[in-house]
Amino acid sequence: MATTEYQVTGMTCSHCEISIREEVEQIAGVTGIEVSAASGKLAVTAAGALDDAAVLAAVEEAGYSAVRSS
């Protein structure tokens, strides 16, 4: 399993966290999600290779923007 971290801009509350979580959890292979509005961090754990483009698209679908930080 590998964890990839992203920096998300625009999150301000727990509702923001939930919106992002709901979109990212739909990506095939994702086994864990940690998201924090306070730090602006999103950590996604996947069983195999994680498609960065899919994660970034999911965050955008939720109404935010992100860049990979690790």
Side-chain angles (χ1 to χ4, degrees), residues 29-69:
V30 169
T31 58
I33 301 167
E34 291 181 33
V35 60
S36 170
S39 67
K41 302 262 187 215
L42 167 65
V44 182
T45 303
L50 185 61
D51 182 0
D52 275 338
V55 174
L56 298 176
V59 170
E60 190 170 311
E61 181 67 28
Y64 308 92
S65 61
V67 292
R68 184 175 173 159
S69 58

